[in-house]
């Protein structure tokens, strides 16, 4: 029996859809998988299912956390940092579309922004030291081609003046991509060469995604579902970026169907990206690279 401990992966939103498929693939490859989930019942069920297919020496753990609540993110990160020596793969997969009425998080932020961007931004920051303990850590951020419809307003990231569920979602997915690009740049700038990060579009996945949103969004998904990809197919680029040797040296990329793709957004300028980063730090209440 080898004494080398298995690599550790944390996957958010892993109780259904592409997150669950990603977690399953990682455990089959011998990873020790930590599921970060909001729902304890779903998490326990997924944990049991994954444990049944785990090879000898691999296991699945659960961390309960609502990513929209920054206090919960801090608590979950502290628990991870206490329990584990390192982190080899972080898959920021969780993402939601919210309803027609603007909702706010425990911290007073618009729920889409809080769940899809601020929570993962803070989680990644708080786990960075553990990622740096890995010989070659990877951060995988699940974005979406919906970023092409984003029209962010840096003076109103919280969408207090104008709110639409699909626009808020598109904005958050663009933020995932720009976060990835800027994080890659800042890691290079700091000489941190053992941590890479990439983002991806998984395809339009036929899952229960969007089921809690407006009737229009639900109707779109119902009509479009026959033409959508499966969760199994949708997860393949996440799994590829998390494990494939050929992308080990790639950082800051955006991938579609396992291939690099251009980011089509007029918002994607150095000045806007830098300001988004600074606003994100302000909203989560700390610098990303805490001293």
């Amino acid at each position: 029996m080898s004494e080398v401990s298995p690599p550790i992966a944390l996957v958010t939103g892993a109780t259904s859809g592409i997150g669950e498929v990603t977690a399953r693939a990682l455990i089959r490859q011998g990873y020790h998988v930590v599921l970060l989930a909001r729902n304890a019942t779903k998490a326990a069920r997924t944990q049991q299912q994954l444990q049944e297919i785990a090879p000898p020496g691999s296991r699945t753990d659960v961390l309960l956390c609502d990513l929209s609540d920054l206090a919960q993110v801090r608590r979950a990160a502290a628990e991870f940092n206490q329990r584990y020596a390192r982190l080899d793969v972080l898959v920021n997969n969780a993402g939601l579309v919210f309803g027609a009425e603007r909702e706010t998080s425990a911290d007073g932020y618009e729920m889409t922004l809080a769940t899809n961007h601020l929570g993962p931004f803070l989680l990644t920051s708080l786990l960075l030291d553990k990622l740096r303990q890995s010989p070659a850590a990877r951060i995988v951020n699940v974005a979406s081609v919906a970023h092409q419809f984003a029209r962010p307003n840096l003076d109103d990231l919280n969408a207090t003046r104008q709110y639409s569920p699909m626009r808020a979602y598109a904005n958050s997915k663009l933020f995932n991509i720009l976060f990835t690009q800027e994080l890659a740049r800042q890691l290079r700038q700091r000489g941190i060469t053992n941590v890479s990060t990439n983002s991806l579009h998984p395809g339009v996945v036929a899952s229960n995604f969007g089921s809690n949103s407006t009737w229009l969004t639900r109707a779109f998904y119902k009509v479009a579902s026959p033409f959508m990809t499966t969760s199994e197919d949708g997860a393949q680029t996440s799994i590829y970026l998390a494990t494939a040797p050929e992308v080990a040296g790639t950082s800051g990329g955006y991938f579609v169907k396992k291939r690099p793709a251009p980011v089509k957004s007029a918002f994607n300028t150095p000045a806007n990206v830098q300001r988004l980063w600074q606003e994100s730090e302000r909203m989560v209440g700390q610098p990303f690279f805490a001293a």
Side-chain angles (χ1 to χ4, degrees):
M1 178 83 179
S2 170
E3 298 209 359
V4 177
S5 60
I8 299 171
L10 186 151
V11 184
T12 72
T15 58
S16 65
I18 64 173
E20 186 176 359
V21 176
T22 302
R24 199 186 310 140
L26 290 171
I27 204 153
R28 281 192 172 128
Q29 292 189 36
Y31 281 79
H32 174 168
V33 176
V34 182
L35 310 172
L36 188 139
R38 290 179 303 164
N39 185 300
T41 305
K42 287 183 180 178
R45 185 202 67 221
T46 305
Q47 181 184 25
Q48 184 180 354
Q49 290 170 346
L50 293 181
Q51 204 57 56
E52 287 169 3
I53 63 165
S58 293
R59 73 171 205 263
T60 312
D61 294 333
V62 169
L63 270 180
L64 291 176
C65 174
D66 181 341
L67 282 167
S68 75
D69 185 332
L70 299 178
Q72 288 194 38
V73 174
R74 291 180 194 282
R75 192 209 68 238
E79 193 177 331
F80 183 96
N81 289 335
Q82 185 184 3
R83 286 168 64 179
Y84 306 101
R86 70 179 195 278
L87 178 57
D88 299 284
V89 172
L90 170 60
V91 183
N92 286 313
N93 166 79
L96 291 171
V97 176
F98 288 89
E101 296 299 316
R102 181 181 177 274
E103 300 173 54
T104 54
S105 70
D107 305 281
Y109 298 132
E110 189 276 314
M111 280 296 278
T112 320
L113 178 74
T115 304
N116 296 2
H117 173 59
L118 295 177
F121 181 91
L122 179 61
L123 181 69
T124 306
S125 167
L126 296 172
L127 296 178
L128 186 62
D129 283 348
K130 294 297 180 184
L131 288 158
R132 294 185 68 180
Q133 297 304 310
S134 169
R138 303 188 190 195
I139 302 164
V140 179
N141 296 320
V142 178
S144 170
V145 72
H147 76 270
Q148 293 181 29
F149 304 105
R151 300 291 183 274
N153 178 356
L154 283 167
D155 294 319
D156 188 29
L157 285 179
N158 213 13
T160 55
R161 296 197 286 275
Q162 260 192 326
Y163 170 79
S164 96
M166 290 310 288
R167 179 56 53 81
Y169 177 76
N171 288 349
S172 73
K173 295 291 102 181
L174 177 61
F175 296 162
N176 294 157
I177 296 170
L178 302 185
F179 166 53
T180 304
Q181 291 180 350
E182 181 63 8
L183 177 55
R185 189 190 72 78
Q186 293 209 30
L187 289 168
R188 283 192 294 268
Q189 189 180 52
R190 286 169 166 77
I192 301 171
T193 56
N194 65 317
V195 181
S196 66
T197 180
N198 291 288
S199 63
L200 67 119
H201 166 58
V204 181
V205 177
S207 67
N208 62 358
F209 173 80
S211 60
N212 64 337
S213 190
T214 62
W215 70 268
L216 184 62
T217 309
R218 290 196 299 273
F220 164 75
Y221 276 97
K222 192 170 183 181
V223 170
S225 61
F227 309 101
M228 293 179 178
T229 188
T230 63
S231 294
E232 203 72 41
D233 288 341
Q236 294 312 304
T237 304
S238 294
I239 297 162
Y240 173 76
L241 291 175
T243 62
E246 59 266 37
V247 287
T250 302
S251 194
Y254 168 65
F255 286 74
V256 178
K257 295 183 179 177
K258 302 184 184 178
R259 295 177 180 274
V263 178
K264 297 174 180 175
S265 170
F267 183 84
N268 189 8
T269 68
N272 283 346
V273 171
Q274 192 168 25
R275 189 165 162 211
L276 173 66
W277 184 279
Q278 291 165 349
E279 283 295 300
S280 302
E281 288 182 325
R282 182 186 65 77
M283 292 172 104
V284 301
Q286 69 173 65
F288 186 91
F289 291 91

